[in-house]
Amino acid sequence: MLAYRHAFHAGNHGDVLKHWILIQVLRYMAEKAKGYMLIDTHAGAGGYSLQGRYANQKAEFENGIAKLWGYPDTLPQSIQDYVELVRHFNGGDGAQLTQYPGSPALARHLMRDVDTLHAYELHPTDERILRSFLSDQPHSHIHMSDGFGGLVRHLPPPTRRGVILMDPSYELKSDYSRVVSTVREALTKFAQAIIIVWYPIVQLVEAVQLPNRLIRAADSAPKGWLHARIQTQEADAQGFGMMGSGVMVINPPHTLEKTLRNELPFLTSILSQISKPEWVLDSRLP
Ligand code: SAM
């Protein structure tokens, strides 16, 4: 049985980077009337209380969404859009930050009746919460099974428009290689898939190797790839802890590179807990 619960980490700097990018991709998908399919291979519970015992054990959201929530000046446009969506789940303008929406909640909010969501979650408790969270949402299918294995069943989507979010917990070291092999398999079945993969920056050889392995796996993608990563924290004295995270977007929307280039430095500096935070943006675009 897996031990990982995203409730301990909800709203941390990794969620901020990942959800900021996910929202931009889904906004782009909604520009065309034709429906699309989103497959969230590791969906989590859908929404999280930031007042509960889990979120407050390490209060990771304080170095994540909370940094943006209380920001006194105007935020860059797409970061503002992300914060406004999180605000929506907290009751709108003037509300306190008490809830954090997970990827299926943010996605479903942006998806239309013509779009379809497939969300995979293995943890029985989180799956139950997710199921109730999405129960009244149209065209939303929850699967309590392995997201890596389930994904390819949906490819190619009937409308030939599809986004895949692959956001494992990396609790198992095998997740690192499964991400790579699943990206390869997905691109074989549907070369145009927009694939978003999140990964942590931690001191582990598998994690260090992952970006280059993903870049090689994305070689066949007709619209190339875009890779963003930020490092905003130190590891602890034992070398443990997440120092930052990265997101690989395969077949990215053509608008994404410009926004990331303009806004990633700001996001890195606002989330930073260290004197020299780092950001990287590299790409192979047509
Ligand atoms: N995507 C979510 C979000 O952004 O709000 C967070 C997901 S969390 C990082 C990873 C989730 O994957 C956990 O809830 C875990 O229980 C689940 N999980 C782990 N292995 C899985 C697998 N093979 N298939 C589906 N879900 C899995």
Side-chain angles (χ1 to χ4, degrees), residues 2 4-6 15 18-19 40-46 48 100-104 120-123 126 143 145-148 165 167-169 171-172 175 178 198:
L2 296 167
Y4 180 92
R5 304 294 304 279
H6 197 65
D15 268 2
K18 163 180 59 192
H19 293 153
D40 191 342
T41 60
H42 297 72
Y48 307 90
Y100 190 78
S103 53
Y120 284 82
E121 174 52 49
L122 266 188
H123 196 288
D126 283 353
H143 310 270
S145 56
D146 173 34
F148 290 124
L165 173 64
D167 180 27
S169 50
E171 183 181 356
L172 303 173
D175 280 354
R178 288 197 81 195
W198 179 90

Side-chain angles (χ1 to χ4, degrees), residues 259-275:
T259 312
L260 297 196
R261 191 159 295 288
N262 287 339
E263 300 188 12
L264 194 63
F266 173 86
L267 191 71
T268 308
S269 71
I270 196 104
L271 296 176
S272 177
Q273 300 299 302
I274 52 181
S275 57

